[in-house]
Every structure is written in structure tokens, then in C-alpha cells.
């Protein structure tokens, strides 16, 4: 019989959040094993990072906050990502399509170099994979599935892989996405409901420059975001996230490219001129999910495995990276104190730090969605007046955007920027 594979920490899911956690833990010397269902090799990602052709953009992008940038810098991935392609945005313009309400945010007003960065997901994965190769104590097994997960015992947990191998770990971390099989095997209950929205994502080229601005219009049936992309061909490429009703989304997906471009241009009020080119579109149903608890004995769930929220504020991956940074902090503290990595006290410290904040963000996104979906005249009037008033009160507006950028005090150490001299 094949000997079991032993590891201190097994991370199921080598996506952006799982790889961030692995890189954050690696300097401690812990033995870390990543398990990934997809075949995964860094060369696969590097080959897809072209000479800035528009067709080479990954339609899946993330709007990274300054806190996420610092986490990725701390784990050694940001420098690699910069070598590929990053798209900083300096301004943000948001307006209500049913009125005159609008609000504008500027990095210059905050004395910051950028409000954030739009980063293709495969660029982030490539940077994190490259960083992981610098740590011999990180092992990656790809193309494998977890067939079963044992109950916890004094030594941790045992996983049975689909190829017959066994893995023994002091701690198992589920970072395997919104439909996490690990979470289901652990029977962690969820709060879950449908947003009543589907999201269309693609890459487009516009007639006019995006001006390094993230644009968002609240339409009659959902938010439409145009996110700026950088490239040698100029500043005319954007990633779009169009959240709308399932019926409208299906109608839009059935349109020819030219007709879809025209519908998009009209929905965006031609702010960037004509939509000249549209890449292949993808459609995703939007659901809010939240694990009722994040931890079990010798088990933690993080990222989308623990929570998913509406993409209207682009906070999903940022919350996942903060999960990874906070869990790393608690595990490193436990190691220094001689505590077991899977001990209830250790894992509950992580849960206390993250679950409340994640639920607060989820509630805020639900509130925004309901406010801007309302057709009541008083609600429309109130939100337009509120946006215009907030735009004129600089201290309050700047505090809100600083929070959105992740520039607050109660951050895990990996997310904190060094003090400016």
C-alpha cells in the first residue's frame, strides 16, 4: 500500500486565494501541499500573456484594492504581475441612469498614486505561481480531486484522493470556490439566495479613451461597469461586467456582436463613444452565499468557498485575499506559540476577525442592490439627492473611498502598507 502523503497544511484549490495563503505561510517553514482539480502549470499561464493584443485579454478580471496590492507584494507576487500587465485606475465615476445623481472619486484628492488596479485573473495566478516556485516547502498536486474527507482526530484530518492516494494534514483549508466540494463534505451549512441577476463579462474596444477611469452606471435593471485595461494599443480597451435580469441577459447573449455593441453603447449613454469591438461573451448567474461558520476542527474555509457577493463593488476577491492574510497571521502566531494549527482556539480567532467583516460587506452590497433596483419615485429621488450631496462633502466621500480601497486600521499585517517616511 502506498504511504500517505503528510503535510502541515493542505490547501484545496490553487486559485488566487489558495496560492496567496500558501505563499504567505511558506517563509515559516511549514510543509504546505496545494491540491488542484485542474491541470495547472505556470507555463500555461505565461503562454497566454501575449504582446498586449486585445484578443489576449482575460475576460475574467479583478479590481484589486490597495490592501490586496500590499498582500500580493508581501507574498512576492506583485513584482511578477507588474512584469506582465496591470491596469491602474486613477478615477472612478458612478451615476444613476434614472436621474441626475452622480459621484466622482479621484486618487489625486487622496494623494494616492491610484485608487486600485484592474488585473486579469490569469496574470494574478501567474504571479502567484511564480512566487510559489521560490519556496521548496510548497508542493502542488494538480489534476487531482478529493474523494473523501475524514472527521478530525488528534492528528488532524485524512483526505482520500481520486487516484487512490491518501493525504494526512494537521489543517485542511478549503479554497475551492463557490461550489466547494470540501465545504459540502464537511457539512458546513450556508445562507444562500439568488440575486435575480446574471452577469455578462467580456472585453471591448471603445472609440474614446477610458482615461484610466473605472466607470459604473446603475441602469434600470442592474449595474453596468466598464473597467480600464492597459496595453500598447492605447487606453481604449475595457473589461465589462453587465449585471441585469436573467431574461435581459439571455437576450443580450443571443445578439450578434454588432447588435450587442450598440446595446452596450446605449446602456452606457455613449460616454466613451462607439463600442467598436466586442470579444467573446460569458454569462454567470449571481448568488449570494455565506457559510454559517468558517471553521470546524482542523478545517477552515476561505474566499469564495466561504462567501460570494454581488460584483457591483468588485470586492469579492479582495475579501478572499484578506481571509488568506488573516488566516496566515493566526497560523503563524499559533506556530510561534506551539499551538496545534487545527486547534479550535486558533481557527476561531480567524473566524472572529473575518466573518463579521465579510457579512457586513455582503449586507452593504445587498442594500445597494435593493436601493438602485427600486422603481419607487421617492427612492429614486432620495438616492439621486444622496449621491449628489455625498459628492460635495469631500471628507465623508474620501473616508468612504479609503475604506473601499482597504486603507483602514484593522487589517492583517500582510495587508498593511509600510509607514511613509
Amino acid at each position: 500500500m502506498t504511504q500517505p502523503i503528510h503535510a502541515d497544511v493542505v490547501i484545496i484549490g490553487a486559485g488566487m486565494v489558495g496560492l496567496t495563503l500558501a505563499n504567505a505561510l511558506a517563509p515559516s517553514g511549514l510543509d504546505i501541499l496545494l491540491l488542484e482539480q485542474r491541470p495547472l502549470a505556470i507555463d500555461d499561464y505565461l503562454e497566454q500573456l501575449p504582446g498586449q493584443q486585445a484578443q489576449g485579454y482575460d475576460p475574467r478580471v479583478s479590481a484589486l484594492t490597495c490592501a490586496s496590492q500590499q498582500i500580493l507584494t508581501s507574498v512576492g507576487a506583485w513584482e511578477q504581475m507588474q512584469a506582465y500587465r496591470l491596469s491602474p485606475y486613477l478615477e472612478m465615476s458612478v451615476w444613476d441612469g434614472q436621474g441626475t445623481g452622480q459621484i466622482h472619486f479621484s486618487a489625486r484628492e487622496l494623494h494616492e498614486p491610484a485608487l486600485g488596479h484592474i488585473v486579469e485573473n490569469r496574470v494574478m495566478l501567474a504571479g502567484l505561481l511564480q512566487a510559489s516556485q521560490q519556496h521548496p516547502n510548497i508542493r502542488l498536486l494538480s489534476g487531482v480531486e478529493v474523494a473523501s474527507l475524514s472527521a478530525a482526530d488528534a492528528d488532524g484530518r485524512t483526505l482520500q484522493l481520486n487516484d487512490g492516494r491518501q493525504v494526512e494534514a494537521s489543517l485542511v483549508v478549503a479554497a475551492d470556490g463557490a461550489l466547494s466540494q470540501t465545504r459540502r463534505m464537511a457539512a458546513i451549512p450556508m445562507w444562500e439566495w439568488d440575486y435575480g441577476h446574471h452577469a455578462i463579462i467580456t472585453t471591448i474596444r471603445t472609440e474614446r479613451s477610458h482615461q484610466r477611469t473605472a466607470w459604473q452606471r446603475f441602469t434600470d435593471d442592474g449595474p453596468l461597469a466598464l473597467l480600464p485595461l492597459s496595453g500598447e494599443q492605447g487606453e481604449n480597451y475595457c473589461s465589462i461586467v453587465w449585471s441585469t435580469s436573467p431574461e435581459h441577459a439571455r437576450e443580450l447573449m443571443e445578439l450578434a456582436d454588432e447588435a450587442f455593441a450598440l446595446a452596450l453603447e446605449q446602456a452606457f449613454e455613449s460616454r466613451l463613444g462607439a463600442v467598436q469591438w466586442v470579444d467573446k461573451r460569458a454569462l454567470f448567474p449571481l448568488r449570494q452565499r455565506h457559510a454559517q461558520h468558517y471553521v470546524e476542527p482542523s478545517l477552515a474555509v476561505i474566499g469564495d468557498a466561504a462567501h460570494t457577493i454581488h460584483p457591483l463593488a468588485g470586492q469579492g476577491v479582495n475579501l478572499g485575499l484578506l481571509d488568506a492574510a488573516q488566516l496566515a497571521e493566526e497560523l503563524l502566531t499559533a506556530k510561534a506559540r506551539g499551538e496545534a494549527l487545527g486547534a479550535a482556539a486558533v481557527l476561531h480567532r480567524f473566524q472572529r476577525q473575518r466573518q463579521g467583516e465579510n457579512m457586513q460587506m455582503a449586507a452593504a452590497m445587498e442594500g445597494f442592490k435593493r436601493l438602485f433596483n427600486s422603481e419607487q419615485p421617492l427612492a429614486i429621488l432620495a438616492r439621486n439627492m444622496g449621491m449628489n450631496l455625498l459628492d460635495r462633502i469631500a471628507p465623508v466621500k474620501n473616508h468612504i473611498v479609503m475604506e473601499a480601497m482597504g486603507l483602514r486600521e484593522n487589517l492583517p499585517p500582510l495587508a498593511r502598507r509600510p509607514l511613509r517616511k
Side-chain angles (χ1 to χ4, degrees), residues 336-392:
R337 293 175 177 175
E339 297 175 281
L341 299 179
V346 174
L347 298 181
H348 278 98
R349 287 199 295 265
F350 156 71
Q351 180 173 272
R352 282 195 300 272
Q353 290 291 331
R354 294 301 307 150
Q355 189 174 33
E357 287 202 13
N358 290 336
M359 291 181 73
Q360 186 176 7
M361 180 63 73
M365 294 306 98
E366 180 68 16
F368 274 119
K369 176 187 172 294
R370 292 186 181 187
L371 175 63
F372 282 93
N373 268 10
S374 177
E375 298 292 332
Q376 296 293 326
L378 285 178
I380 295 173
L381 177 63
R383 73 192 185 214
N384 278 271
M385 290 178 63
M387 290 178 75
N388 290 328
L389 178 62
L390 181 60
D391 196 43
R392 293 194 293 270

Side-chain angles (χ1 to χ4, degrees), residues 94-138:
V94 182
W95 72 101
D96 189 341
Q98 296 190 70
T100 59
Q102 58 184 338
I103 190 166
H104 180 261
F105 302 100
S106 168
R108 184 175 58 255
E109 292 177 9
L110 301 171
H111 307 288
E112 292 287 337
L115 294 177
H117 290 78
I118 307 302
V119 182
E120 297 156 76
N121 286 6
R122 68 183 177 209
V123 168
M124 202 184 321
L125 281 167
L128 285 162
L129 280 167
Q130 279 207 317
S132 72
Q133 291 184 330
Q134 308 306 311
H135 302 289
N137 55 323
I138 296 179

Side-chain angles (χ1 to χ4, degrees), residues 296-356:
E296 291 275 351
S298 299
L299 176 76
V301 294
I302 63 175
D304 284 356
H307 46 78
T308 59
I309 63 172
H310 199 287
L312 67 89
Q315 288 296 320
V317 71
N318 296 299
L319 297 180
L321 295 179
L322 286 169
D323 288 351
Q326 188 66 55
L327 182 55
E329 172 64 14
E330 301 303 341
L331 295 178
L332 296 176
T333 299
K335 183 176 184 293
R337 293 175 177 175
E339 297 175 281
L341 299 179
V346 174
L347 298 181
H348 278 98
R349 287 199 295 265
F350 156 71
Q351 180 173 272
R352 282 195 300 272
Q353 290 291 331
R354 294 301 307 150
Q355 189 174 33

